[in-house]
Amino acid sequence: KKWATIGPNYEYGKRAWETFWERLRQLKPDAQNVGEHWPTLGKLEPGAFVAAIMSQQPEALYVSLFGSDWIAFAREATKRGLFEKMFVVGILLGEPEYIDPLKTEAPEKMLVTGYPWYDISMAAHTDYVGRYQKRFDKPPVLGSLVGYVTYLSVFEAIRKAGSVDTEKLIAAFQNLKVETP
């Protein structure tokens, strides 16, 4: 019932929380917002934020941190027992690029978005992972997949348009179908 959030202080972090909070309030009208925390991207002082969140005693925490901010926060929150005291929901937190650097320090029992590349058995995806690992000698992360799909889409649009002219590309992207992993 009692929620807090922490996310980077710019459009992504604020919009992620607003969207989540709006939907949560539709599902649980009695939900309460007990605290919002907006550190500057790349400059998180984890101790102060973890202490502030824990002092508000939320039952759940929505996290939209990522990169080094998430890693620092997760380590400090683990030391202080935050993950045992509240349910944590996070966008991005289960993606390999954000969970793998934590290794055994990775928090458990969170509800997160992620990219379980090792557990997707679609043929196109298995082929992509094999080619990626052969080329880079490591498994893909979500950013790798998003980049690959983006370039496939651009390539197909150029092929369909027969040109790189802006108006022709805009037309080509209309109803464009692209096979992706």
Side-chain angles (χ1 to χ4, degrees), residues 5-152:
T5 187
I6 184 166
N9 190 15
Y10 73 104
E11 182 67 17
Y12 158 76
K14 301 263 178 133
R15 176 66 58 202
W17 170 244
E18 289 169 10
T19 302
F20 178 82
W21 184 246
E22 181 180 305
R23 183 66 177 133
L24 180 65
R25 294 280 300 183
Q26 290 171 356
L27 298 170
K28 295 183 81 59
D30 61 340
Q32 300 169 18
N33 178 349
V34 298
E36 296 181 16
H37 306 274
W38 306 110
T40 300
L41 180 64
K43 297 183 179 182
L44 174 80
E45 294 291 335
F49 283 100
V50 170
I53 290 165
M54 291 181 74
S55 74
Q56 294 166 329
Q57 300 180 328
E59 297 166 336
L61 176 67
Y62 181 81
V63 179
S64 59
L65 298 172
F66 60 93
S68 62
D69 287 341
W70 160 244
I71 292 168
F73 180 83
R75 287 181 172 144
E76 187 65 28
T78 298
K79 285 182 203 170
R80 297 182 186 215
L82 180 143
F83 296 105
E84 287 78 40
K85 293 185 170 121
M86 62 194 74
F87 181 62
V88 176
V89 175
I91 187 169
L92 305 176
L93 306 183
E95 294 173 8
E97 50 264 62
Y98 304 119
I99 200 85
D100 291 352
L102 289 166
K103 298 184 181 4
T104 60
E105 295 175 284
E108 295 183 3
K109 299 181 183 173
M110 298 184 298
L111 177 61
V112 298
T113 60
Y115 172 45
W117 61 268
Y118 48 82
D119 209 21
I120 300 172
S121 59
M122 294 172 22
H125 186 266
T126 304
D127 178 60
Y128 165 75
V129 169
R131 287 183 290 112
Y132 187 94
Q133 288 181 309
K134 183 176 180 182
R135 181 168 184 177
F136 298 107
D137 198 33
K138 62 182 180 180
V141 295
L142 186 61
S144 307
L145 180 63
V146 169
Y148 181 72
V149 169
T150 300
Y151 280 105
L152 281 177

